């Protein structure tokens, strides 16, 4: 069921969004050569306590998963597409790595979700283009998130931007979603779509728009941990995500400072 958030809900979501944006900013600044993924997860927990919020991925068990997610943040490196577990088999970051930080928090019982991809030290031109195209695809998807449009219009905008600016693959079967009361709500927000298809966007809807782009094939494989998706060809992946609210004046990005 698609929910419409009240003005009071949206006011809380604005506060939550700024907190998550600050947390991801601080985590991005600490994503440097020599740090371990477990240290990033530990830092995420510290920041949640500092900003009086709750990491909602920790112990969350999505539909189809065999066990709850064991960390507070997803840290996905290079060929890991999404949901990399940072604390079970910690990895040490090295210069040139492409690292996605994906996190959700609850503040005053309202949930926001956001992700960013950062390069460790100096990255090569291919990695920079991958990040630039994915960031641009997010902007295109958000711009398409207008009252009266449909979720397929968001997917079409993302797909068109990626195809116009690269030969990259759009990670299959992954996309955005409703958010606010729960970690994942209806509707599914695709990264590939057709004009006029899918549920209509209405004022008060809150969704996470999250293009996930691979350097090569869109196909993915699942690690034995039950969460980590990898590119089938071993090439790199990037993700950028914002939680937005649909308004009569256009989409409002909540997860920004």
């Amino acid at each position: 069921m698609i929910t419409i958030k009240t003005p009071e809900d949206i006011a809380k979501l604005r506060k939550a969004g700024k907190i998550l944006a600050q947390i991801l900013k601080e985590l991005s600044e600490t994503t440097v050569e020599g740090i371990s993924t477990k240290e990033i997860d530990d830092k995420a927990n510290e920041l949640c306590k500092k900003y009086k919020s709750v990491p909602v991925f920790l112990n969350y068990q999505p539909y189809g998963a065999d066990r709850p997610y064991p960390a507070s943040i997803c840290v996905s490196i290079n060929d890991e597409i999404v949901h990399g577990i940072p604390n079970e088999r910690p990895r040490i970051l090295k210069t040139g790595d492409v690292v996605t930080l994906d996190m959700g928090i609850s503040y005053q019982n309202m949930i926001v979700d956001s992700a960013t991809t950062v390069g460790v030290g100096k990255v090569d031109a291919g990695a920079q283009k991958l990040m630039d195209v994915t960031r641009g695809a997010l902007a295109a998807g958000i711009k398409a998130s207008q009252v009266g449009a449909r979720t397929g219009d968001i997917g079409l905008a993302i797909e068109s931007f990626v195809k116009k600016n690269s030969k990259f693959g759009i990670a299959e079967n992954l996309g955005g979603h409703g958010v606010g009361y729960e970690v994942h709500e209806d509707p599914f927000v695709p990264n590939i779509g057709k004009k006029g298809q899918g549920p209509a966007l209405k004022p008060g809807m809150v969704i996470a728009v999250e293009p996930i782009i691979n350097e090569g094939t869109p196909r993915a494989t699942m690690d034995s941990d039950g969460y980590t998706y990898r590119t089938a060809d071993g090439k790199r992946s990037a993700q950028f995500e914002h939680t937005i609210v649909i308004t009569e004046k256009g989409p409002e990005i909540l997860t920004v400072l």
Side-chain angles (χ1 to χ4, degrees), residues 118-189:
V118 298
V120 178
K122 184 175 177 58
V123 298
D124 62 45
Q128 190 61 56
K129 182 175 181 180
L130 175 65
M131 291 188 288
D132 290 344
V133 169
T134 308
R135 188 184 292 106
L138 173 59
I142 291 172
K143 185 177 180 180
S145 301
Q146 304 288 337
V147 171
R150 294 182 177 268
T151 54
D153 297 315
I154 299 175
L156 177 60
I158 290 170
E159 180 184 8
S160 298
F161 183 90
V162 173
K163 287 184 175 180
K164 180 180 179 181
N165 291 282
S166 74
K167 295 183 179 179
F168 297 149
I170 300 172
E172 61 185 9
N173 302 322
L174 296 170
H177 51 88
V179 69
Y181 301 140
E182 304 290 341
V183 178
H184 290 103
E185 301 178 11
D186 292 331
F188 176 71
V189 181

Side-chain angles (χ1 to χ4, degrees), residues 68-139:
Y69 188 75
S72 295
I73 187 170
C74 300
V75 182
S76 305
I77 305 171
N78 295 328
D79 68 323
E80 297 172 350
I81 303 174
V82 289
H83 307 157
I85 299 174
N87 57 351
E88 290 190 335
R89 290 182 295 171
R91 291 143 293 158
I92 304 298
L93 301 186
K94 60 184 185 299
T95 294
D97 282 341
V98 174
V99 182
T100 294
L101 307 171
D102 182 6
M103 191 171 182
I105 66 162
S106 174
Y107 179 76
Q108 296 183 341
N109 295 316
M110 298 301 295
I111 295 170
V112 289
D113 189 0
S114 186
T116 187
T117 300
V118 298
V120 178
K122 184 175 177 58
V123 298
D124 62 45
Q128 190 61 56
K129 182 175 181 180
L130 175 65
M131 291 188 288
D132 290 344
V133 169
T134 308
R135 188 184 292 106
L138 173 59

Side-chain angles (χ1 to χ4, degrees), residues 54-76:
V54 178
V56 293
F57 293 174
L58 181 61
N59 296 319
Y60 174 66
Q61 187 166 355
Y63 177 80
D66 293 332
R67 61 176 180 134
Y69 188 75
S72 295
I73 187 170
C74 300
V75 182
S76 305

